[in-house]
């Protein structure tokens, strides 16, 4: 298939592009800058110049392909609500081109949006208290209009060499403050997946038609935050401290919400429906061996 990929040079998107190319598909990758264009061209994918806010470019890219994978998102958290609404518009724009075609469209969303007293599953829905629900709502809207749209939910940590997401944020905080930290006993949980395992899930979903499902790309369903903090403490050679919520707000600042996430997750339905089996190393092992504590990283 010829597949349009947004976020094609991002941490997740670049792994998806490589996975698709390695399995015989061709990729049309959305890029904004010259540097990203050069990076993408080296993979063998076709460069498509555009922007997530240029809705006409998104429509054009989607119109010329057999399937769409949307991994692009502006992660400037100072404008989080605004960026979520922009994502809604991007999804609806691409979806408008795919109505009635049965071409699969996979949109990236987040596991951490869900809340339950048990591991969250693919059939759980997002609450009303998060701006990120805009993406899920957009997928539901275009699916109702006849688009073969699905969600690929990713956990708080998508890890691997080159990670610039939540784990590096925690490491940089510990380096800056002089100690690693968790809230209370750190028994809140994050789910995680290796970026290469996540890429396989996207490919399998596309190849199998992504039949209006919700997928969970989860390799590990419940990692105690205390274990993450302990690994950071050891990796940097700094103390580990337990903080109250009030102390945590001073330490984590804008990241406090994410540090407090307690979301266990299951991918059993996804594994069964796709025949997907995550087999890359787990988060803690990856943190110890994938260069997370290199200053250059």
């Amino acid at each position: 298939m010829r597949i349009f990929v947004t976020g094609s040079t991002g941490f997740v998107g670049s792994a998806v592009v490589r996975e698709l190319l390695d399995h015989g598909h061709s990729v049309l990758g959305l890029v904004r800058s010259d540097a990203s264009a050069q990076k993408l061209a080296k993979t063998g994918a076709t460069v498509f110049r555009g922007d997530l806010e240029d809705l006409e470019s998104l429509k054009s890219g989607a119109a010329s392909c057999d399937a769409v994978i949307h991994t692009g998102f502006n992660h400037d958290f100072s404008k989080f609500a605004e960026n979520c609404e922009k994502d809604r518009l991007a999804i609806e724009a691409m979806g408008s081109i795919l109505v009635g075609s049965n071409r699969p469209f996979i949109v990236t969303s987040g596991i951490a949006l869900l809340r339950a007293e048990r591991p969250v599953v693919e059939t759980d829905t997002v609450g009303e208290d998060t701006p990120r629900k805009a993406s899920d709502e957009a997928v539901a809207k275009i699916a109702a209009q006849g688009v073969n749209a699905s969600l690929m939910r990713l956990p708080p940590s998508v890890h691997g060499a080159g990670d610039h997401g939540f784990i590096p944020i925690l490491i940089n905080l510990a380096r800056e403050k002089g100690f690693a930290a968790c809230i209370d006993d750190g028994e809140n949980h994050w789910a995680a997946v290796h970026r290469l395992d996540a890429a396989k899930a996207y490919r399998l979903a596309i190849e199998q038609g992504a039949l209006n499902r919700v997928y969970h790309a989860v390799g590990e369903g419940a990692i105690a935050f205390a274990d993450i903090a302990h690994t950071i403490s050891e990796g940097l050679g700094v103390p580990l401290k337990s903080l109250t919520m009030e102390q945590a707000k001073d330490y984590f600042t804008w990241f406090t919400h994410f540090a407090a996430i307690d979301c266990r997750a299951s991918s059993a339905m996804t594994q069964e429906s796709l025949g997907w089996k995550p087999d890359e190393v787990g988060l803690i092992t990856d943190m110890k061996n994938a260069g997370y504590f290199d200053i250059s990283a």
Side-chain angles (χ1 to χ4, degrees), residues 64-75:
S64 65
C65 290
D66 304 310
V68 178
I69 296 177
H70 179 44
T71 68
F73 185 79
N74 185 339
H75 288 94

Side-chain angles (χ1 to χ4, degrees), residues 53-244:
E53 295 184 36
D54 180 354
L55 302 185
E56 292 306 313
S57 73
L58 297 180
K59 291 178 182 179
S60 178
S64 65
C65 290
D66 304 310
V68 178
I69 296 177
H70 179 44
T71 68
F73 185 79
N74 185 339
H75 288 94
D76 180 355
F77 287 101
S78 69
K79 301 178 180 178
F80 186 54
E82 177 183 341
N83 291 333
C84 290
E85 287 306 313
K86 289 179 179 178
D87 196 49
R88 182 199 301 272
L89 295 176
I91 294 165
E92 291 178 353
M94 288 183 280
S96 70
I97 299 299
L98 303 174
V99 173
S101 68
N102 204 40
R103 285 178 285 172
F105 180 19
I106 297 181
V107 171
T108 305
S109 184
I111 298 272
L113 307 176
L114 309 174
R115 293 289 183 272
E117 296 300 316
R118 47 160 177 77
V120 296
V121 298
E122 290 84 342
T123 52
D124 287 324
T125 56
V126 178
E128 294 297 315
D129 59 344
T130 172
R132 197 69 167 95
K133 71 181 187 301
S135 304
D136 294 48
E137 290 175 346
V139 168
K141 178 180 177 180
I142 62 175
Q145 294 170 345
V147 179
N148 180 13
S150 298
L151 287 168
M152 182 67 71
R153 289 176 177 157
L154 299 179
S157 176
V158 181
H159 57 89
D163 183 0
H164 51 266
F166 283 2
I167 296 299
I169 287 172
L170 290 171
I171 291 171
N172 288 336
L173 277 171
R175 187 177 277 125
E176 174 190 339
K177 304 284 188 177
F179 63 95
C182 57
I183 301 172
D184 296 328
D185 58 5
E187 284 306 305
N188 58 303
H189 297 87
W190 281 14
V193 68
H194 194 283
R195 66 191 288 259
L196 299 183
D197 280 328
K200 293 173 190 174
Y202 280 98
R203 174 181 61 81
L204 289 169
I206 281 289
E207 290 177 344
Q208 296 179 30
L211 300 174
N212 291 321
R213 295 178 181 270
V214 176
Y215 302 101
H216 279 188
V218 175
E220 297 173 283
I223 304 169
F225 193 89
D227 292 339
I228 296 171
H230 177 72
T231 304
I232 293 172
S233 169
E234 286 192 333
L236 293 179
V238 297
L240 170 61
K241 297 184 181 181
S242 172
L243 306 179
T244 66

